[in-house]
């Protein structure tokens, strides 16, 4: 019975370590997802600025062509 209790204790301890490792992985994934969102937002802003500048250039080109 003592051997079974020791085995059960070891399984419980391993389960605890597994859960701890999963929490650490989850924290890392959360940090990476936050970074991804931030970078995606920055990229979106740069693309918006690029679109605005492209439209301004096109307007200038069209004005120059008409004159």
């Amino acid at each position: 019975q003592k051997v079974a209790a020791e085995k059960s204790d070891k399984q419980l301890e391993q389960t605890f370590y597994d859960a701890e490792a999963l929490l650490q992985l989850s924290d890392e994934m959360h940090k990476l997802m936050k970074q991804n969102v931030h970078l995606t937002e920055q990229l979106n802003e740069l693309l918006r600025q690029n679109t605005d500048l492209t439209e301004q250039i096109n307007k200038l080109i069209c004005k120059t062509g008409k004159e």
Side-chain angles (χ1 to χ4, degrees), residues 30-42:
H30 184 253
K31 288 177 189 175
L32 290 172
M33 289 175 69
K34 283 176 68 173
Q35 288 176 346
N36 183 280
V37 167
H38 179 69
L39 291 171
T40 301
E41 288 171 348
Q42 286 182 324

Side-chain angles (χ1 to χ4, degrees), residues 4-38:
E6 286 177 5
K7 184 177 179 181
S8 176
D9 287 348
K10 286 183 182 180
Q11 287 177 337
L12 183 60
E13 185 178 12
Q14 186 59 50
T15 300
F16 172 80
Y17 291 134
D18 290 347
E20 195 172 53
L22 285 172
L23 283 173
Q24 288 176 355
L25 285 172
S26 178
D27 285 346
E28 286 299 314
M29 285 176 51
H30 184 253
K31 288 177 189 175
L32 290 172
M33 289 175 69
K34 283 176 68 173
Q35 288 176 346
N36 183 280
V37 167
H38 179 69

